[in-house]
Amino acid sequence: MKKNYFILAFLMIAVVFSSCVKDEPAPQPEPPPPPPPGEPVLVHYWHFNNLPDIAFTEPIESDFSQFGLTASMDYPGTGEGYWDIRTHRPADPVSNFNLRMGQGPDQGAVLRLRNPANTREFLITAPSTGYENLVVTFAATRTENGAKEQEFYFSANGGSDWTKVGEAYYIPSLPEGEGYLEKVIDLTEYAQLNDNANTMFRILFVGEGSDNTSGNNRIDNFSIDGVPLASGDPAKLAISSVNDGNPVFANEPFSLLIYSLDADNSPAAVTTNVTVNLSLESGTGNLGGTLSGVIASGENSVMITGITYDAAGTGIKIKAEAQGLTAAISDAFDVALITYNLQLSANMPDAGTLTGDGEYAEGEEVTIAATANEGFI
């Protein structure tokens, strides 16, 4: 009698995380020390390197904004135009101009604003509260069929009125070897943009090619710099972000960014070294790892890395304390278990059934069984 053997084969074991991005996010660098009075600092920045590879339907938040500020981009309008990203490749590169916040060359992605673009506008909502003498910097290019010119505008009243800055400027063609335009727009003469919660910018796509049904313009490394207004004495702490907005997993290190603020909630440099201690404010697990850090004299922030939490849960809060400053409590965040998605497959699909596939937490024991059909052993 011929014997058939049921052979169990594992064809795929994949790790599935709670969210997927096209690249691992770059580690957040230590915040730079405050500059000398009157020197500009980075206020908002978009590098576009951690965005999903989809057509966007919602505004894009900045990759970095100063404490207490939020900024976003949008591409509203009518028609078939839309926006997405284009990842780097040697024949179709990103720009290496205006790399900030530790971003490396020849990697990541650019923002792609697709035609027809003459019925849309590229909007940047970027409050300048606490800053003056703004400068906008970015790289721009296009495909052969993309709009050949752009116009830059600002609004000091949330978009009710717009002021055009200079004349329309030519956008080079990347496929034709013209590279990227390295655009710097000095807005220091426009006092109405200083310390203004309603500051906005707008780019219009004009001229030949803007009404084409194919083609696109591309924007990369968009930054807004400004000079900080004078702050008061440090009065309290504030926790700016937990793990730079990335998921936190049980028993895996994560980070907190902590600022010293004055009474008006503006970042304020300390005059002596200030030790910040962390403790668990709410949660059923245990906080461990690195639980203290130092805001150095002359600086206004510290990034504490290597913090751990040993259990999955929701509503976790961490408290930051320092002598002489009002304590801060983080926003509630969740801690997840690392899970693995186990998929089973047999080299003879008709030979029987397999059981044991599914999603499992890290460290969990898994029982896998194979049941042979009649005629197989």
Side-chain angles (χ1 to χ4, degrees), residues 12-228:
M12 181 181 297
I13 299 178
V15 181
V16 177
F17 294 95
S18 58
S19 62
C20 295
V21 294
K22 62 180 174 60
D23 293 306
E24 287 294 324
Q28 185 180 19
E30 287 283 348
E39 291 293 320
V41 300
L42 185 62
V43 181
H44 303 292
Y45 184 51
W46 290 260
H47 54 66
F48 311 116
N49 294 341
N50 295 332
L51 293 172
D53 192 3
I54 60 173
F56 304 122
T57 58
E58 300 291 336
I60 296 172
E61 295 185 357
S62 59
D63 292 293
F64 169 82
S65 287
Q66 286 286 345
F67 178 82
L69 299 180
T70 58
S72 64
M73 293 176 167
D74 205 355
Y75 189 45
T78 60
E80 298 299 319
Y82 65 96
W83 59 333
D84 57 4
I85 59 167
R86 182 69 175 90
T87 53
H88 173 77
R89 59 181 181 179
D92 194 4
V94 299
S95 172
N96 290 331
F97 173 66
N98 199 33
L99 296 174
R100 314 283 285 271
M101 300 297 293
Q103 300 304 308
D106 299 326
Q107 59 184 276
V110 298
L111 190 64
R112 182 165 53 182
L113 302 122
R114 293 177 177 265
N115 277 340
N118 63 330
T119 58
R120 293 184 174 270
E121 55 186 355
F122 182 38
L123 293 180
I124 301 98
T125 301
S128 62
T129 309
Y131 299 87
E132 62 182 359
N133 299 334
L134 304 184
V135 176
V136 173
T137 306
F138 59 93
T141 191
R142 63 177 174 88
T143 59
E144 291 180 78
N145 290 331
K148 290 187 175 182
E149 293 183 322
Q150 295 177 2
E151 294 176 343
F152 186 88
Y153 296 77
F154 72 78
S155 173
N157 55 14
S160 296
D161 300 289
W162 293 97
T163 299
K164 183 179 175 182
V165 180
E167 300 301 321
Y169 47 91
Y170 175 75
I171 302 301
S173 170
L174 191 62
E176 296 174 278
E178 296 177 344
Y180 280 83
L181 171 69
E182 299 178 353
K183 188 69 173 174
V184 179
I185 303 173
D186 189 336
L187 301 169
T188 55
E189 65 179 280
Y190 300 103
Q192 62 267 47
L193 298 178
N194 296 339
D195 194 25
N196 188 339
N198 297 310
T199 294
M200 293 183 67
F201 304 106
R202 176 174 74 172
I203 293 176
L204 297 184
F205 304 94
V206 298
E208 183 180 348
S210 63
D211 59 349
N212 285 340
T213 56
S214 64
N216 59 79
N217 272 219
R218 300 179 184 184
I219 302 290
D220 203 5
N221 303 325
F222 192 105
S223 68
I224 302 167
D225 291 86
V227 176

